[in-house]
Every structure is written in structure tokens, then in C-alpha cells.
Amino acid sequence: MDLGLKNQHAVVCGASKGLGYACAEALAREGARVTLIARNETELVAAGKQLRECSGAQVEVVAADVSTEAGRALIVGQTENVDILINNAGGPPPGQYVDWSHEDWIAALEANMLSGIFLIKAFLPAMLEQRHGRIVNITSVTVKQPQALLGLSTAARLGLTGYVATVAREVIARGVTINNLLPGYFLTDRLRSMFESWDSQAGENASVSEQKRLTIPAQRFGSPSEFGDVCAFLCSRSAGYMTAQNILLDGGLYPGTF
Ligand code: NAD
């Protein structure tokens, strides 16, 4: 199936590793030109080199923090003719409601809500002008299925989800789709380090990662390339009638019918 992504320009945020990198790789393999965004320049340059080598695609990098106004301005200033925007950033740390300060809330909102909102706002006018664009936001299964200790992350992501529900319907008539991808458990560096920390707290005979795995109907964690492939489909020509959706990729973890 030709996804129609050849020579499309994709800006992928949070893309030096994990799910962001997997989305960038899937898009690059389909012939898109890709600009990778992440904060750490050394890691980003290495990721860019790896992606160029494995896909043969044109790959550029911009070191920027999407959770700051300055970082977002840098991204917008250094990219042009953007057809595809993938919004992504690291999630806030887990914790309990009593511990979260005003500062913690602002940091979570900047990273997981406002970063997406302001990058959408910045890139939409040109997409609407060319009457074509694809925007995908990486959120989380927790927006549908709340999980203990992830209140900061979930609340911020739900803010972005609510915004997308409105703006996506305002722009679809002019060829731009906006959807959210909701990962369950995918084996990325982030998940591995969370498991290491949980397992070390659980003691010798218990493996939290193994318990989590058994809660997933698929009985396995997702691989980032499976996530990237769905992202590439959402960015394809074929997905032009699909907008304002929250698409779960969780091996059946979310227990509801809808
Ligand atoms: P990861 O830590 O493996 O990768 C995150 C990437 O984003 C890295 O490249 C990092 O450098 C970059 N990044 C982080 N903060 C940034 C910022 N402010 N500006 C620019 N770049 C930034 O994480 P992941 O597992 O790929 O997760 C990606 C997102 O999906 C996170 O928000 C995470 O909470 C969410 N999520 C992941 C899973 C999972 O199973 N992996 C499940 C649910 C939700």
C-alpha cells in the first residue's frame, strides 16, 4: 500500500528515541523527509545519523525543548513547508496529589498540553493554506483508563485531548486531520527504566514488569515499530477522512467495549 508520504515533510517531536523515534522511522521508510526534535543535541544528532543510515531519507535535527516558548519558536523558525506534525514530549513524574505544587502543574501543562496546542497553532495556517496536513499527538491509554500516581500526566493530556476534539473539527474541511495515539505499554527506554525502578522496590521474588505484562490481553508489551507504523498510516493519504479520534494501541489493555 502506497501511503503517499514520499517527499512529505514531517516534524517529529520527542524523537531522539522511543515512540517519537519510531514514528520518525516509519515515516522516513515511507519516503518522508523528517525533522527530529529533542532537547539533548548529542543524542539527537546520533538519532539523526541512525535514521539517515537505516532509511536513506533526508533527515534534519533541531535541538529544542517543546515545553518552553523559546523551544517552540526555534522549531517553528527552523522548519518550513511542514506537511506532518507529530507532537510528543516526556511524561511528568508519577506522584501523589498532595505532593504536586503549582510549579509541578505548570511544568506538566507546558510539556503535555500547551506544547501540542501551540505547535498546532503555529503549523496549522500553512497546512490550511496548502489544504493538506496531518497532525498526530502522542498521549496515553491513561486518558481513557486512569492509573494510580499518574494524575499530573493524565490531567495535562486530557487538556490536549479536549482541545483536539474541537480544533480538529474546525479544520477537517480544509484537508487537515488531527488525531491522538494512545499507547499502552511499549518497550522504550522510559518503560524499561520504570520497570527497573518498580522491580527494585518490589523485592527479590516479585517482578512488577511481569505482573504488568500478564494484565495485557496480548500477553506482551508493544514494540515501538508497531506504534510507528500506525502513526505513518494516520499521516497517509488514505487516512484523510479520519479525524478527532483517540486511537488506543494497547494490546487490548483498556477493558471497555468502546
Ligand atoms: P522516551 O523517554 O523513551 O522518549 C521520549 C523522547 O522525547 C526522547 O527523545 C526525549 O529526549 C524527548 N523529550 C522528552 N521531553 C522533551 C521535551 N520537553 N522537548 C523535546 N523533546 C523531549 O519515552 P517514550 O516511552 O517514547 O514515551 C513518549 C511519550 O509517550 C511520553 O509522554 C510517555 O509518557 C508517553 N507514554 C509512553 C508509554 C510507553 O509505554 N512507552 C505509555 C504511555 C504513554
Side-chain angles (χ1 to χ4, degrees):
M1 183 175 180
D2 178 8
L3 297 184
L5 292 170
K6 287 195 180 61
N7 302 318
Q8 296 276 295
H9 181 199
V11 170
V12 186
C13 301
S16 65
K17 57 186 175 181
L19 301 180
Y21 181 85
C23 293
E25 184 176 331
L27 291 164
R29 286 190 192 280
E30 291 296 324
R33 169 188 155 211
V34 181
T35 300
L36 305 179
I37 313 292
R39 289 166 302 184
N40 182 311
E41 184 145 25
T42 312
E43 283 182 14
L44 189 59
V45 168
K49 182 169 179 284
Q50 181 183 323
L51 185 55
R52 233 170 265 124
E53 285 171 3
C54 80
S55 66
Q58 186 181 338
V59 179
E60 281 132 52
V61 301
V62 177
D65 183 341
V66 298
S67 72
T68 67
E69 224 176 295
R72 296 189 286 266
L74 191 67
I75 296 164
V76 175
Q78 305 245 322
T79 51
E80 53 185 18
N81 303 324
V82 175
D83 304 288
I84 295 165
L85 168 66
I86 311 299
N87 278 315
N88 180 36
Q96 299 201 326
Y97 74 95
V98 285
D99 299 327
W100 295 323
S101 64
H102 188 255
E103 240 175 24
D104 294 329
W105 275 107
I106 297 298
L109 295 177
E110 284 286 0
N112 297 106
M113 176 182 167
L114 296 175
S115 59
I117 288 175
F118 283 116
L119 287 172
I120 290 171
K121 185 181 177 200
F123 285 112
L124 258 180
M127 289 181 179
L128 295 174
E129 181 78 15
Q130 69 190 13
R131 300 192 78 83
H132 174 74
R134 297 282 183 267
I135 300 174
V136 175
N137 307 298
I138 300 179
T139 65
S140 173
V141 64
T142 60
V143 301
K144 289 198 74 155
Q145 187 182 1
Q147 196 179 313
L149 307 180
L150 294 183
L152 264 186
S153 159
T154 305
R157 294 180 201 281
L158 272 163
L160 177 62
T161 306
Y163 172 75
V164 167
T166 60
V167 73
R169 292 176 166 92
E170 289 170 33
V171 299
I172 179 64
R174 291 167 70 187
V176 180
T177 68
I178 313 180
N179 291 290
N180 303 316
L181 266 182
L182 284 52
Y185 290 105
F186 280 83
L187 268 186
T188 61
D189 282 4
R190 176 181 168 278
L191 193 65
R192 281 196 192 89
S193 67
M194 279 169 74
F195 283 157
E196 273 166 28
S197 140
W198 289 337
D199 284 348
S200 68
Q201 287 162 26
E204 270 174 27
N205 300 321
S207 163
V208 179
S209 54
E210 192 53 12
Q211 286 164 18
K212 294 274 183 213
R213 183 183 71 75
L214 294 172
T215 64
I216 306 169
Q219 301 282 287
R220 67 176 177 86
F221 301 116
S223 95
S225 69
E226 292 174 302
F227 191 89
D229 288 344
V230 176
C231 178
F233 174 75
L234 285 180
C235 296
S236 72
R237 217 172 20 207
S238 310
Y241 203 55
M242 183 172 186
T243 201
Q245 298 304 301
N246 290 285
I247 298 135
L248 280 166
L249 276 175
D250 66 351
L253 181 67
Y254 172 72
T257 305
F258 298 104

